[in-house]
Amino acid sequence: MTQDKPTHTPVYDRDRLLAWMAEHHIAQTTHDHPAVYRVEEGQALKAAIPGAHTKNLFLKDRKGRLWLISARQDTVIDLKRAPALIGSDRLSFGNETLMWETLGVRPGSVTALGLINDTDRRVSFVLDRALWEADIVNFHPLTNTATTALEQAALRKALALMEREPVVVDFSAL
């Protein structure tokens, strides 16, 4: 019996996420735009949106642990050297089924805001120090057709309400 598409339905989608933020007084600004699948595709769109823009990698290590790395879009993440920095085994990209089951997103829409759907805490969250220190951070709101800007205090409040403490790593040290 093969399963082409995951059947699990995440609790939060874009609308429910933004409503949750409003309910918890998490200030944000969401900008709608055409779908963006890769960091390079959105350069012109991002130029008009202030703050640090992100790239997000959904990974699995050889022991089966799941990882989400969020870093500035221009950060180089060496997957061969990252395990020593984050405390994982050898890393490879996680598949679409795991991504949907844990974060409630499809490829191209990976975002730290997807952690709201990871109620079982299956995904370890790693945040680039450059994002942890940025005044404004931009993530997809569970879809790649929009960008949500959060001031640092709002990001930290959202993570605290999700009960997620990121492992803050300086990828520039690699």
Side-chain angles (χ1 to χ4, degrees):
M1 181 164 149
T2 60
Q3 183 177 4
D4 294 325
K5 289 288 180 191
T7 56
H8 166 78
T9 301
V11 173
Y12 288 89
D13 59 10
R14 172 202 162 133
D15 292 339
R16 292 195 66 200
L17 171 70
L18 296 178
W20 177 84
M21 288 181 166
E23 177 185 326
H24 290 90
H25 308 286
I26 298 170
Q28 56 81 24
T29 303
T30 297
H31 308 269
D32 292 301
H33 52 69
V36 176
Y37 293 92
R38 297 170 49 100
V39 170
E40 305 81 40
E41 292 177 40
Q43 296 299 347
L45 295 168
K46 293 173 186 175
I49 302 172
H53 292 274
T54 60
K55 69 174 159 189
N56 299 274
L57 306 177
F58 180 70
L59 305 165
K60 183 177 180 179
D61 73 16
R62 198 167 41 187
K63 293 181 179 175
R65 286 184 60 195
L66 302 176
W67 299 85
L68 173 62
I69 296 177
S70 294
R72 283 184 71 103
Q73 69 179 2
D74 55 357
T75 302
V76 175
I77 300 173
D78 181 340
L79 292 184
K80 290 183 176 155
R81 296 175 69 193
L85 200 57
I86 68 173
S88 73
D89 203 331
R90 187 175 54 160
L91 295 164
S92 60
F93 288 95
N95 68 41
E96 181 178 353
T97 299
L98 281 172
M99 187 184 300
W100 181 253
E101 286 175 0
T102 56
L103 301 178
V105 297
R106 302 280 184 211
S109 298
V110 178
T111 172
L113 298 176
L115 293 167
I116 195 167
N117 282 315
D118 183 27
T119 55
D120 293 334
R121 308 289 183 268
R122 293 174 59 194
V123 180
S124 297
F125 181 44
V126 178
L127 187 67
D128 183 14
R129 180 168 303 287
L131 292 182
W132 189 243
E133 295 173 352
D135 292 336
I136 298 172
V137 182
N138 293 288
F139 289 103
H140 287 310
L142 308 180
T143 177
N144 65 354
T145 58
T147 296
T148 296
L150 297 163
E151 289 186 1
Q152 191 58 237
L155 172 63
R156 292 181 187 203
K157 180 177 182 179
L159 290 173
L161 287 168
M162 290 180 215
E163 299 178 358
R164 301 309 293 251
E165 183 69 33
V167 174
V168 179
V169 171
D170 185 357
F171 283 102
S172 68
L174 287 179

